[in-house]
Each structure stands twice: as structure tokens, then as C-alpha cells.
Amino acid sequence: MTPEQLQKLWDAGRLAALAGPAASDQQALAAAIGPDGLGPLEDRWGPGVVLGSGGSTGGRRWCLQPLAHLQASASATGRWLEGLGLDPASCLHLNSLPLHHVSGLLPWVRAQHWGACHQRLDPAWMRDPALLAAADPLDPGRPALLSLVPTQLQRLLAAAEGVVWLQRLALIWVGGAPLPPALAERARLAGLRLAPCYGATETAAMVCALAPEAFLAGASGCGAPLGDVELRLGAEQAVEVRCERLSPGWLEAGRLQPLPRTADGWWRSGDAGRLGPTGLELLGRLDGAIHSGGETVFPEVLEQRLAQLAQAAGLPLQALLLLPIDDPDWGQRLVALVRPDSPQQGWEELQLALQQLCDSWPPAERPGRWLLCPELAPAELGKWQRNHWRAWVDQLKAVEVVSPASVDVEPV
């Protein structure tokens, strides 16, 4: 669906159902809508969208967001920009993300709401920094804003043309997946005005963002809540959100399942975090946390830590994923899936070097097994399909190397 088609539906008071091009997504969306269509929801909620949420560790849901909620999100983001001294209406809003994701829908909604200029970036440009720099040279007289996921940022930073192009942007929101510390440091060294942010389909996108000045000064995390949002931590350090733009709920077989909230309006996300001096810092997905030897472990945090250490040590590491496997003594143990920079590089040497980087970690955080996985890569928008890779481990499609040291470690 194009933005023009979407606007036509909204002008007619209709809901737009947005799914990616994959047949499985199209089929899942059709099943969620059911045979009666979206008419009853349109009568209740007016124009808006139904689009996918989740799909990494938890199941994919099809979330309803009325247009009024999307516009409220745009208003809150606009006030945040004004606090930085940027006039949203005078900015060029670049969009590199697909419309069927809330991260790609909102840049267009914001531009429409603010009366600003919106420009789509061809996905082919984002894969070729030299092509991007030539196709979209940017106007130095107009501040340009861009939303990226970490995978895109990493690709652009890998080429000199991409770095120069990014340096011309007034602000770069980065979200959708954790920002690796090593990648953040590379962006700081290049002077990029990154604004790491956090949001969800259920919250109509962004609920907090870190100011670029704070990022460049070394602050981590996703910043303070936007003006229309309240954040708190619940049980298990779950990030909880209260605002007026929470989704009414998810569609299942034609019925709207209300978004679970407390009696006073708080929605519990699937993410764990902590609140620090500069705002929210994410720890990882709660449904991805494991309990190992009596300890709660967040694999995503450990992935980032190990990847950062590997980069500092100059190891030829292309991708890394830590997953839980059942263990009779520990409850669960971590298994590490590893993709070297090239198939020709020595696996045993890399595995040993990675293991040594973890030697000083608490026992529950050290992977008990290391698997060579040449195909390892995140899916669209940089998210890891952890269920897919857990099934991959179960099918034993990797070359397994068991760490000799791991068998001597006892649970704490």
C-alpha cells in the first residue's frame, strides 16, 4: 500500500490493514481480521491502521491503532523536537523503513501532521552508501531527520560516503532493536547526532528518546519519556507505559482482544529495563530472559557485551546470538551461535578466543556450548527471530563444539 492509498482510506473513515509482502504475513493478517472484515471496528474507532507487532520471541499480534492515536504520537514527537530547537514543519523527514511497520508509518504520519516534507529512501540506496550519497545529497539549508535501525546504521558507517552523508543530518532516531555499544561509540567518534529511542506498535511508536547532545556526551539508553507519556518499572523490571495513545487491542479471528492494562491504565510491555539519570535503559526482552543456576540472565545484554569485547580484541566476528537450552542441573544454559567474518577463518581459534573473553563472567552468564553457524543473520529491521534459531539448534544443523571448561562449572 502506498501513502496515497492510505490517505484515501483515511479520508473515507476507513481502517487500513498493513502487512509485509510475505505470504505468511498476509495470511496471518487475513485470519486475524476474520470473515466480517474491519467494518465493525471502523464504526467504533474511525480511520486508522491494523499492523503487526512483535514477532521476535513472542507471537506476532495484529494491533489496532486509530488515526487519532498516531496523530497524538506525532504531536508529542513534535514538541520533543521543538525542545531541541528544531521546527518540525521546516524539516525534511527522510524515511527508510517500510510502511507496514510502525517505525516506517510514523515518519510519514508526522510529516502529514506537521505539514512538513516527507521523502522515501529507496531500500537499494540504504544497502549502498555510495548510491545513497549520490541519489540524495541533502540540502544544507534544510534540517533533515531520519529513523534507522541499528543494522542500517552499521551498514552506512562501514563506508566513508555513508559516514559523510549521516554527518549532514540534524537528527537520527535509532530504534527497533538494541543499539550495540560498539556501534554507538563509532557513531560518537563520527559526531553523528543519534537519538536512541524506544517505542512499540501498542504505544503508537516513540515513547522516549535520548537527546543527541546527551548521546554525544556519552549517555546511554533511550532517554526520558515524551511529554504525553509516563514510564515506570513493574515486577521483573518490566517497562510499563501509561498514555492516551495505547492501542485498544489486538485482532484475533475477527474479535478485538483488549490490550491488558491495570485498573489505573498501565500497560506492561515485554521489555525489561532500568531507569537511570538519563532515562530508560533496556535490559532485554522478558520472554527472552532465562533462569540459570538460580540467576536471571538477559541474553541480549550479554550478546552486546561479548560483541563489544570481540571488536576491541579484533576478532573476526560477523554475528553472535545467545540462546537458552534446557539443562537438568542449571534449569537453562546459554548456547552461543557464532558466524565468523568469512567461512575460511579458523573456527576453533575464534571459539577459544570468545570463550576466554567470558572466563571472568559469572557462571550463569558463560555459554556452555559454542556452535558454528555460517547462516546466522537477523531478519528484517535487524530483529532476531529467536524461535527460528532455537529450532535450528534443535535440528543440529550447526557444527557443535562443547567447551571443555563448561563441564566443570557447577550452578551457583
Side-chain angles (χ1 to χ4, degrees):
M1 184 177 295
T2 66
E4 292 76 19
Q5 292 170 325
L6 181 56
Q7 186 64 60
K8 188 174 181 180
L9 285 174
W10 285 351
D11 289 342
R14 303 283 304 280
L15 282 168
L18 305 178
S24 57
D25 265 9
Q26 299 282 347
Q27 294 165 0
L29 176 57
I33 292 173
D36 295 333
L38 295 172
L41 290 175
E42 290 168 348
D43 293 341
R44 169 66 179 86
W45 298 101
V49 292
V50 174
L51 69 171
S53 169
S56 54
T57 52
R60 191 159 180 76
R61 295 187 175 102
W62 296 94
C63 185
L64 169 66
Q65 274 294 9
L67 177 58
H69 290 194
L70 304 178
Q71 292 172 334
S73 175
S75 294
T77 306
R79 291 190 293 270
W80 183 84
L81 286 171
E82 290 168 351
L84 300 180
L86 289 169
D87 174 17
S90 301
C91 294
L92 171 63
H93 300 273
L94 302 170
N95 194 351
S96 65
L97 300 168
L99 197 67
H100 60 271
H101 285 275
V102 72
S103 54
L105 175 64
L106 260 294
W108 178 73
V109 172
R110 292 171 191 143
Q112 293 292 104
H113 189 65
W114 299 331
C117 182
H118 172 267
Q119 179 182 334
R120 290 286 306 170
L121 298 179
D122 190 310
W125 300 352
M126 302 304 295
R127 292 189 291 268
D128 186 339
L131 183 61
L132 173 63
D136 190 28
L138 300 178
D139 177 1
R142 170 181 278 181
L145 315 179
L146 175 66
S147 292
L148 289 178
V149 296
T151 299
Q152 293 174 317
L153 176 63
Q154 182 170 2
R155 189 177 295 131
L156 294 176
L157 276 174
E161 300 94 336
V163 174
V164 171
W165 188 84
L166 290 169
Q167 288 170 335
R168 294 172 179 161
L169 297 171
L171 186 139
I172 306 164
W173 284 299
V174 182
L179 177 64
L183 185 58
E185 189 56 31
R186 287 172 59 193
R188 287 191 187 96
L189 292 173
L192 302 187
R193 295 181 57 77
L194 258 58
C197 56
Y198 171 72
T201 307
E202 289 84 356
T203 62
M206 195 184 308
V207 294
C208 59
L210 184 68
E213 289 77 12
F215 170 80
L216 289 171
S220 60
C222 305
L226 272 60
D228 67 333
V229 173
E230 295 177 88
L231 291 182
R232 73 179 186 185
L233 298 181
E236 300 180 286
Q237 294 182 274
V239 178
E240 297 186 353
V241 182
R242 183 165 67 178
C243 63
E244 294 298 320
R245 48 184 163 101
L246 287 173
S247 167
W250 301 295
L251 281 178
E252 293 181 8
R255 294 183 177 274
L256 184 67
Q257 305 297 326
L259 190 74
R261 310 186 203 192
T262 64
D264 51 351
W266 289 92
W267 171 65
R268 175 187 167 101
S269 78
D271 299 296
R274 55 174 169 250
L275 295 174
T278 59
L280 176 65
E281 295 183 29
L282 293 176
L283 297 175
R285 292 285 302 175
L286 283 164
D287 50 13
I290 72 168
H291 299 282
S292 182
E295 300 290 335
T296 300
V297 175
F298 289 93
E300 294 165 70
V301 175
L302 301 179
E303 286 164 6
Q304 291 190 23
R305 185 193 305 169
L306 184 53
Q308 188 175 19
L309 292 172
Q311 183 183 48
L315 299 183
L317 179 66
Q318 179 69 28
L320 171 74
L321 188 65
L322 300 183
L323 297 172
I325 57 171
D326 291 336
D327 184 276
D329 296 320
W330 292 73
Q332 290 178 302
R333 292 287 323 258
L334 288 175
V335 58
L337 276 61
V338 179
R339 177 185 171 189
D341 277 344
S342 70
Q344 291 75 32
Q345 284 163 335
W347 161 239
E348 291 185 3
E349 293 83 356
L350 177 58
Q351 184 266 332
L352 180 60
L354 289 170
Q355 181 183 328
Q356 289 173 344
L357 292 177
C358 304
D359 278 348
S360 63
W361 294 8
E365 296 183 356
R366 296 201 296 266
R369 293 194 288 167
W370 300 82
L371 305 177
L372 174 64
C373 186
E375 302 88 3
L376 184 66
E380 188 179 19
L381 300 188
K383 290 182 179 289
W384 285 105
Q385 301 295 326
R386 293 177 185 269
N387 285 338
H388 167 79
W389 293 110
R390 272 196 289 266
W392 187 91
V393 172
D394 291 340
Q395 294 167 9
L396 300 177
K397 291 182 179 178
V399 175
E400 181 178 347
V401 177
V402 180
S403 165
S406 68
V407 299
D408 298 326
V409 178
E410 296 296 332
V412 293

